[in-house]
């Protein structure tokens, strides 16, 4: 009987201690409004440390948070992050598996509740031969653009009607932007071999801001077939204008020059030969280039002037000849055009 009383006291003591412990835990939970599982250092209302690797004080680092799940006081759920910024904030990949009937998985987006309960659904195909990825575009969409993809699943925003949406051209009415002086000395046998960029100072139309007017550079936004048209119609004022004096002028469209008019790839060109007329100090000519090419996103295009030839004798009536000082496109009435259209 004495043993029973002693045992009863022990039971009552342990029961009381458990009651006090749970009362303390309940008080702590109510007081601090935080519950931690596998952690003594909860950071939100509910905090589960899956790997039990969080520190006892301070904030867990990003690697330690990767196995955590939290619920904030505002009802936001974080998985892999203890500071969710939305109703559901996941740090890492998300899988949406098939439902209980085995159908392909989907995600639904609903309209405003005031308008009804209709939704837009993103759904996986019912049959896939292999895993596929769709990579969202990095370029900014413009009005009327649609989402396009290549064979690797990378997407970009492109126009519904590229021919009208990507037309861009620039022209020049002030020759000073394209002036270039060529000095070769004017002696017999002197070789002229010079390339220089055709510059522009006025945008005619460029809805997608693909032209850098200061350098005359067009940057391709999307891979495809492009129609290119360029022409120059400058005046030239050589200081020697003898009978039989003439010079060739070549207009090139070069791809990916990288700031060097002789670099990159010459994708199309055209040339003209201008004869001097005695007694006329100004020569007028035009060169036109046009054609279709296949271009890749990120390619750059420039118009380049190319002068190449050898001076003949000063009194010669034959042969290629350049003046000692030849100023290209340095007076008014100079015109140029560079137009690129996606087909």
């Amino acid at each position: 009987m004495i043993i029973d009383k002693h045992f009863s006291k022990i039971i009552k003591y342990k029961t009381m201690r458990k009651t006090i412990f749970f009362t303390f835990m309940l008080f702590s939970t109510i007081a601090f409004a935080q519950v931690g599982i596998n952690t003594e250092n909860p950071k939100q209302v509910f905090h589960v440390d899956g790997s039990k690797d969080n520190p006892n004080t301070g904030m867990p680092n990003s690697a330690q948070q990767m196995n955590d799940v939290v619920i904030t006081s505002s009802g936001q759920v974080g998985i892999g992050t203890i500071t969710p910024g939305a109703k559901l904030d996941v740090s890492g990949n998300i899988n949406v598996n098939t439902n209980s009937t085995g159908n392909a998985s989907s995600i639904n987006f609903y309209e405003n509740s005031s308008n009804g309960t209709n939704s837009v659904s993103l759904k996986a195909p019912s049959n896939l031969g292999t895993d596929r990825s769709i990579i969202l575009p990095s370029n900014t969409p413009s009005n009327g653009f649609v989402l396009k993809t290549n064979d690797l699943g990378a997407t970009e925003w492109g126009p519904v009607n590229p021919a009208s949406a990507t037309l861009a051209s620039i022209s020049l009415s002030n020759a000073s932007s394209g002036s270039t002086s060529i000095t070769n000395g004017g002696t017999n046998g002197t070789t002229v071999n010079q390339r220089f960029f055709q510059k522009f100072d006025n945008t005619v139309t460029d809805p997608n801001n693909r032209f850098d007017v200061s350098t005359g550079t067009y940057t391709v936004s999307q891979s495809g077939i492009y129609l290119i048209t360029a022409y120059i119609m400058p005046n030239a004022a050589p200081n020697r204008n003898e009978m039989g004096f003439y010079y060739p002028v070549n207009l090139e469209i070069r791809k990916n020059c990288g700031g060097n008019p002789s670099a990159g790839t010459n994708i199309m060109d055209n040339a003209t030969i201008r004869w001097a007329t005695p007694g006329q100090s100004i020569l007028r000519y035009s060169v036109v280039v046009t054609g279709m090419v296949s271009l890749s996103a990120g390619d750059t295009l420039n118009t380049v002037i190319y002068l190449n030839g050898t001076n003949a004798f000063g009194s010669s009536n034959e042969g290629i000849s350049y003046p000692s000082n030849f100023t290209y496109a340095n007076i008014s009435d100079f015109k140029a055009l560079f137009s690129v259209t996606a087909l």
Side-chain angles (χ1 to χ4, degrees), residues 113-155:
S113 58
S114 58
N115 295 327
T117 58
N118 296 319
S119 66
V120 175
S121 177
L122 293 179
K123 187 174 183 179
S126 58
N127 185 20
L128 280 170
T130 185
D131 291 341
R132 297 176 187 172
S133 296
I134 297 177
I135 304 171
L136 296 178
S138 59
N139 62 315
T140 304
S142 298
N143 185 27
F145 274 31
V146 295
L147 200 60
K148 304 172 66 177
T149 182
N150 61 17
D151 55 351
L152 298 177
T155 60

Side-chain angles (χ1 to χ4, degrees), residues 30-279:
I30 295 172
F32 296 99
Q34 291 179 328
V35 175
I37 297 178
N38 271 354
T39 177
E40 298 178 359
N41 183 28
K43 295 301 180 182
Q44 297 294 352
V45 173
F46 182 74
H47 187 168
V48 178
D49 179 10
S51 293
K52 200 175 182 180
D53 58 356
N54 289 357
N56 291 331
T57 60
M59 294 288 289
N61 59 38
S62 57
Q64 292 167 334
Q65 292 183 39
M66 288 302 295
N67 56 73
D68 290 10
V69 178
V70 300
I71 300 176
T72 69
S73 58
S74 58
Q76 293 177 320
V77 177
I79 301 176
T81 175
I82 62 173
T83 55
K87 282 296 183 183
L88 177 61
D89 194 338
V90 179
S91 178
N93 298 329
I94 298 175
N95 291 339
V96 181
N97 286 314
T98 55
N99 57 28
S100 58
T101 61
N103 293 328
S105 57
S106 64
I107 300 176
N108 297 334
F109 300 88
Y110 288 86
E111 64 181 338
N112 291 346
S113 58
S114 58
N115 295 327
T117 58
N118 296 319
S119 66
V120 175
S121 177
L122 293 179
K123 187 174 183 179
S126 58
N127 185 20
L128 280 170
T130 185
D131 291 341
R132 297 176 187 172
S133 296
I134 297 177
I135 304 171
L136 296 178
S138 59
N139 62 315
T140 304
S142 298
N143 185 27
F145 274 31
V146 295
L147 200 60
K148 304 172 66 177
T149 182
N150 61 17
D151 55 351
L152 298 177
T155 60
E156 63 179 7
W157 292 104
V160 177
N161 183 0
S164 62
T166 63
L167 173 65
S169 61
I170 46 183
S171 66
L172 182 71
S173 58
N174 179 355
S176 61
S177 293
S179 63
T180 300
S181 294
I182 300 100
T183 302
N184 60 46
T187 58
N188 300 334
T190 302
T191 299
V192 173
N193 189 330
Q194 182 175 11
R195 282 188 174 92
F196 51 93
F197 287 119
Q198 175 61 60
K199 298 182 181 180
F200 300 85
D201 67 357
N202 181 43
T203 301
V204 176
T205 176
D206 184 12
N208 301 314
N209 298 317
R210 292 300 167 187
F211 276 108
D212 182 343
V213 177
S214 64
T215 61
T217 301
Y218 177 88
T219 301
V220 178
S221 63
Q222 59 188 27
S223 301
I225 305 300
Y226 287 77
L227 173 65
I228 299 174
T229 301
Y231 73 81
I232 54 172
M233 190 173 60
N235 290 323
N239 68 350
R240 185 176 70 194
N241 199 12
E242 299 171 352
M243 179 67 70
F245 163 69
Y246 67 96
Y247 57 95
V249 179
N250 196 48
L251 178 62
E252 302 175 337
I253 304 299
R254 299 189 74 88
K255 181 177 70 173
N256 300 332
C257 290
N260 180 357
S262 294
T265 305
N266 181 18
I267 58 176
M268 61 178 66
D269 60 14
N270 192 20
T272 186
I273 295 179
R274 299 305 304 168
W275 290 80
T277 303

